[in-house]
Amino acid sequence: MKGTPPVKRALFEEDHEQFRELATEFNTREVSGKYAQWEKDHQIPREVWQSAGENGLLGLAVPEEFGGMGIDDYRFRVVLDEEFVRAGHLAVALAFHLHDDLVLPYLLAYGSDELKAKWLPRMVDGSTITSCAFTEPGAGSDLRAVRTKAVRDGEDWLLSGQKTFIGNGAFGDAAVVLARTDAESGRATESSFSLFMVERSEGYTNGNPFDKMGLRASDTAELFFDEVRVSDADRIGEVGQGLRYVKEQLPQARLAIAVAAAAIGTASFDQALEHAKNRSTFGQALTQYQNTRFELANLKTESHVTQTFVDQAVLAFNNGELDAHEAAEVKLWASESAKELSDKALQIHGGYGYIMEYPIAQSFTAARLLTIFGGTSEIMRETIGRAL
Ligand SMILES: Cc1cc2nc3c(=O)[nH]c(=O)nc-3n(C[C@H](O)[C@H](O)[C@H](O)COP(=O)(O)OP(=O)(O)OC[C@H]3O[C@@H](n4cnc5c(N)ncnc54)[C@H](O)[C@@H]3O)c2cc1C
């Protein structure tokens, strides 16, 4: 296992540590040694999803009646995320995060039994890879500007529009799509949007994966919908409630990013410490310089503070007590912290830090996304500030 053990934490129990071993074995067996090629291909092979499914690593929260294990303790998702980050397989963490933290909660919370029976078993066994398609070229921070529309056509809907920056978008099989269902009525209101589970079919196409600066093995692409026929049975929840559902699920979406951010901050410290111990200049190890020791001390302390804050939020979430504003605080703090820590840890690496095969370069580029996606830091500050 790479890196030092995380700081002492009261968060986990025996079951979580056993699950950690499973996640570590999966990383070693299925990902290590292959990941660099996936980064070049911009793709995580489908077999890996299926193997993750067989090993019980997908759809953790899915109830047993729909093929899952019904794990509603979020600490298991935390363990999984941490192990992917610790092993340096950051893009796998992102790809599975989209499937489990962004798509799944909508199906579980608002899907009909018919919808759940159709989609959940396929998500659990990894045979269906899913995306969460909200962002559009003209609507990122401001989801009310979404223009993709779904229009009634008999018993079905016809979906048309364009999405961008969609994770698992190039190789995924289905997406939760936020669309306007009152496009004829001019200006959008709170009740103008609905959510649909849209399967790849005629009229559903994608662009090539974007050439991202980091997390390259996870495919991120544009999606195009040209009168895609969507059954009304694939509508998620009530017509007109899409934006409300998105707001209700913000705590998990934000917390998940904070969890990954804390793990990246800790990994950055580990990577800097290892490099500083092994690298000599002017005849002595970098750790002999007071400046390096002070920098490492700062990294260690800040990653500890961040981890403590995130762990507290995980427990609050488990108790149903993490609201969207508190989740914004923890997402803001942890993602900004990961950005800063990975930057400082990279500096300790000198020129090696700029080379992508060094884990710190991967941590740095991954951390850079976290203050942007899932709501930017500015939007987090707006959210927190408005609630004061
Ligand atoms: C690699 C990657 C993966 C992604 N994956 C997904 C995905 O799977 N699904 C999905 O739906 N989306 C995804 N996104 C989209 C992501 O969530 C958006 O990029 C993000 O929400 C910001 O939207 P935007 O890019 O349109 O920026 P904009 O909204 O154009 O913002 C530009 C800048 O203006 C600032 N700004 C905007 N409005 C305000 C305001 N009111 N006050 C102050 N400042 C403001 C922003 O903070 C930002 O700094 C992904 C993005 C990336 C880069």
Side-chain angles (χ1 to χ4, degrees), residues 98 132 134-135 140-141 165-167 212 369 372-374 376 378-379:
L98 298 165
C132 181
F134 291 174
T135 305
S141 301
F165 299 136
I166 306 307
K212 304 198 296 292
L369 174 65
I372 296 169
F373 120 117
T376 64
E378 292 72 29
I379 296 300

Side-chain angles (χ1 to χ4, degrees), residues 136-151:
E136 300 187 358
S141 301
D142 176 14
L143 284 183
R144 273 205 195 202
V146 158
R147 305 258 307 263
T148 294
K149 60 179 182 180
V151 179

Side-chain angles (χ1 to χ4, degrees), residues 13 48 53 88 107 235 237 260 312 379 386 388:
E13 294 166 25
V48 178
L107 304 185
R235 172 168 44 83
Q312 183 202 0
I379 296 300
R386 257 188 276 120
L388 297 178

Side-chain angles (χ1 to χ4, degrees), residues 22 62 70 127-128 133 136 169 190 222 225 234 240 248 294 296 345-346 359 362 368 376:
L22 183 74
V62 171
S127 57
T128 290
E136 300 187 358
E190 209 53 26
E222 288 174 294
F225 305 111
D234 282 331
E248 284 175 0
F294 277 16
L296 287 167
L346 189 152
Q362 308 250 352
R368 197 61 194 82
T376 64

Side-chain angles (χ1 to χ4, degrees), residues 48-359:
V48 178
W49 284 86
Q50 283 159 357
S51 173
E54 281 161 23
N55 283 278
L57 304 184
L58 297 176
L60 301 190
V62 171
E64 286 179 21
E65 59 180 310
F66 297 114
M69 289 185 290
I71 298 173
D72 55 7
D73 175 354
Y74 195 70
R75 291 175 293 179
F76 287 93
R77 275 288 307 142
V78 174
V79 166
L80 200 53
D81 243 13
E82 287 180 354
E83 287 313 302
F84 281 121
V85 171
R86 197 125 60 109
H89 305 145
L90 294 142
V92 184
L94 173 64
F96 287 6
H97 151 73
L98 298 165
H99 191 75
D100 257 58
D101 285 317
L102 294 190
V103 175
L104 193 56
Y106 293 108
L107 304 185
L108 290 176
Y110 315 111
S112 64
D113 278 353
E114 185 186 349
L115 188 100
K116 287 177 183 166
K118 177 175 174 186
W119 291 103
L120 297 183
R122 299 155 62 173
M123 289 180 69
V124 170
D125 70 17
S127 57
T128 290
I129 299 169
T130 64
S131 306
C132 181
F134 291 174
T135 305
E136 300 187 358
S141 301
D142 176 14
L143 284 183
R144 273 205 195 202
V146 158
R147 305 258 307 263
T148 294
K149 60 179 182 180
V151 179
R152 270 285 193 186
D153 186 52
E155 293 295 295
D156 300 331
W157 297 83
L158 290 179
L159 183 82
S160 300
Q162 180 183 351
K163 299 286 178 180
T164 193
F165 299 136
I166 306 307
N168 301 336
F171 303 110
D173 307 296
V176 168
V177 176
L178 182 71
R180 273 197 76 170
T181 34
D182 70 347
E184 68 293 343
S185 67
R187 205 157 172 262
T189 66
E190 209 53 26
S191 55
S192 292
F193 303 91
S194 306
L195 290 175
F196 298 89
M197 190 67 179
V198 184
E199 190 159 18
R200 200 174 273 275
S201 59
E202 199 183 338
Y204 178 148
T205 54
N206 58 268
N208 290 328
F210 285 118
D211 192 12
K212 304 198 296 292
M213 68 158 70
L215 295 159
R216 295 164 70 88
S218 136
D219 57 296
T220 306
E222 288 174 294
L223 295 183
F224 305 96
F225 305 111
D226 182 9
E227 300 209 325
V228 178
R229 186 164 293 279
V230 182
S231 156
D232 193 45
D234 282 331
R235 172 168 44 83
I236 302 172
E238 301 294 318
V239 173
Q241 296 301 307
L243 266 194
R244 177 167 74 81
Y245 297 157
V246 171
K247 285 182 189 160
E248 284 175 0
Q249 297 306 319
L250 287 175
Q252 180 167 347
R254 290 173 177 168
L255 176 64
I257 295 172
V259 165
I264 290 174
T266 302
S268 299
F269 162 71
D270 286 337
Q271 290 150 8
L273 178 63
E274 194 178 324
H275 187 82
K277 280 180 175 169
N278 293 320
R279 175 77 174 164
S280 293
T281 63
F282 302 97
Q284 53 183 350
L286 294 184
T287 44
Q288 297 299 312
Y289 299 112
Q290 187 187 53
N291 178 67
T292 310
R293 288 199 305 277
F294 277 16
E295 283 294 315
L296 287 167
N298 285 337
L299 294 182
K300 169 103 178 120
T301 307
E302 183 168 333
S303 65
H304 196 163
V305 170
T306 301
Q307 191 66 70
T308 306
F309 187 24
V310 171
D311 286 357
Q312 183 202 0
V314 169
L315 291 178
F317 180 74
N318 262 358
N319 292 333
E321 291 166 357
L322 186 75
D323 67 27
H325 300 107
E326 288 158 346
E329 286 180 37
V330 75
K331 198 256 175 194
L332 171 65
W333 177 269
S335 59
E336 290 290 342
S337 166
K339 188 170 79 171
E340 189 186 322
L341 296 187
S342 60
D343 184 28
K344 290 186 169 160
L346 189 152
Q347 185 70 17
I348 291 173
H349 282 71
Y352 299 95
Y354 203 67
I355 307 302
M356 283 311 280
E357 76 187 51
Y358 278 74

